[in-house]
Amino acid sequence: MGAPMARNLIRAGHDVTVYNRTRAKAEPLAADGARIADSVAHAVRGCEVTVTMLADDHAVEEAVFGADGMLQTLPRDAVHMSTSTISVEMSKRLATTHTAAGQGYIATPVLGRPEAAAAQKLWVIAAGPPDLVERCQPLITALGRGFTIVGRDPWQANVVKLASNFIIVSLIETLGEAFALMRKAGISVHQFLEIVNTVFGSPIFAVYGQIIADEKYEPAGFRMKLGLKDVRLALAAAEEQAVPMPLAGIIRDHFLQGIALGYGDQDWAAIARVIAANAGLEKPRA
């Protein structure tokens, strides 16, 4: 996700320095006009805004608080704009820590797969102090087709993102169960998908329905391991707010089953493989 987002910032005329733990993944951006940094600390030195797109809380912990992290070199009054899907707890910690250091922090997680990022069609969910959100708006606008400001506390954007991902994976679970029924009944899943797309007209049904119907789970747009991480974070946020989410618990267990069967690096739509196996349609791998 980070590479196409960086390209969109460059195309919008912003001066961009990039860093990736795997340097080879960052180097192609040099041809687009980006400078390549050797560390997070180097990347953020002298910047006005630093944008992070990282896999999980652990990666954020390393990038911000690590030995070569941004906390010591990010200038006072500069803003950390986090686009990552992280826990509410981590988002609150980032806000507190950056404020104590005289730095700004806003959360701007994004909705969309890598192909949406490349096409500048992400939707950005923003939350944070209004003056900081307004200051970062040119960057937010460059990343996608639109944005919604959901609150003054950054963690509120993270809750919205987790809830949105829960809805997406709930629809994937629904498709997996319905497609398993079609297959066992001897009905064409592709024909069924045409009906579903005609009735519901949902891009989620269209994209993930096609993946499941074609049984094409690689290359992954979003890995099952990351899907498990997001569902766990949604459950944690729900527990903090005393909101039961029984369906999230079922999906978490299906993800765990899929990872145990060796599907962890496949697209999270491979949850349909787990459902198919449970229905006797696919033999689990040893």
Side-chain angles (χ1 to χ4, degrees), residues 19 40-41 44 52 54 57-66 68-71:
Y19 169 76
V40 176
V44 306
T52 53
L54 299 163
D57 282 20
H58 176 74
V60 172
E61 173 91 26
E62 183 179 342
V64 177
F65 303 100
D68 284 322
M70 71 171 68
L71 200 56

Side-chain angles (χ1 to χ4, degrees), residues 151-168:
R152 300 174 66 95
D153 295 317
W155 63 266
Q156 292 175 304
N158 299 105
V159 172
V160 173
K161 174 59 191 295
L162 292 172
S164 299
N165 276 13
F166 166 67
I167 290 174
I168 293 169

Side-chain angles (χ1 to χ4, degrees), residues 8-278:
N8 286 332
L9 292 174
I10 294 167
R11 289 168 185 158
H14 298 287
D15 188 15
V16 177
T17 299
V18 298
Y19 169 76
N20 191 293
R21 288 173 292 182
T22 305
R23 187 181 176 92
K25 293 182 179 180
E27 286 177 343
L29 291 166
D32 296 295
R35 290 186 297 274
I36 312 299
D38 294 322
S39 67
V40 176
H42 176 209
V44 306
R45 186 175 286 114
C47 77
E48 295 180 47
V49 179
T50 183
V51 181
T52 53
M53 168 51 77
L54 299 163
D56 52 28
D57 282 20
H58 176 74
V60 172
E61 173 91 26
E62 183 179 342
V64 177
F65 303 100
D68 284 322
M70 71 171 68
L71 200 56
Q72 301 305 317
T73 56
L74 186 67
R76 289 183 66 85
D77 297 324
V79 181
H80 175 194
M81 180 174 140
S82 171
T83 65
S84 308
T85 304
I86 56 175
S87 69
V88 170
E89 180 183 2
M90 175 57 78
S91 191
K92 290 180 178 179
R93 181 183 174 194
L94 289 170
T96 299
T97 304
H98 281 303
T99 299
Q103 302 155 351
Y105 170 71
I106 65 171
T108 54
V110 297
L111 290 171
R113 289 166 65 88
E115 55 267 31
Q120 201 178 353
K121 291 184 178 180
L122 297 173
W123 193 269
V124 182
I125 305 159
D131 60 320
L132 298 184
V133 174
E134 182 178 1
R135 181 174 160 191
C136 294
Q137 190 167 323
L139 302 178
I140 295 171
T141 302
L143 292 177
R145 59 190 174 90
F147 65 94
T148 304
I149 301 171
V150 298
R152 300 174 66 95
D153 295 317
W155 63 266
Q156 292 175 304
N158 299 105
V159 172
V160 173
K161 174 59 191 295
L162 292 172
S164 299
N165 276 13
F166 166 67
I167 290 174
I168 293 169
V169 76
S170 297
L171 292 175
I172 295 172
E173 169 81 17
T174 300
L175 287 168
E177 293 180 16
F179 278 40
L181 176 59
M182 293 303 103
R183 287 192 169 111
K184 292 208 79 170
I187 298 168
S188 166
V189 292
H190 289 91
Q191 185 179 51
F192 178 66
L193 178 59
E194 289 180 11
I195 296 169
V196 169
N197 285 335
T198 299
V199 173
F200 297 107
S202 164
I204 296 173
F205 281 156
V207 171
Y208 289 107
Q210 194 68 53
I211 291 172
I212 296 169
D214 293 342
E215 299 181 87
K216 188 177 180 181
Y217 303 112
E218 295 176 299
F222 189 71
R223 292 182 293 129
M224 184 179 284
K225 289 178 181 177
L226 294 177
L228 174 60
K229 179 264 297 185
D230 285 2
V231 171
R232 281 174 166 165
L233 294 182
L235 282 166
E239 182 174 347
E240 184 178 353
Q241 300 294 332
V243 177
M245 294 182 72
L247 180 55
I250 293 171
I251 294 169
R252 175 200 57 206
D253 289 349
H254 281 167
F255 276 144
L256 284 170
Q257 186 179 353
I259 291 168
L261 293 172
Y263 309 152
D265 289 322
Q266 295 185 9
D267 196 278
W268 64 339
I271 195 173
R273 295 191 68 182
V274 174
I275 295 165
N278 291 341

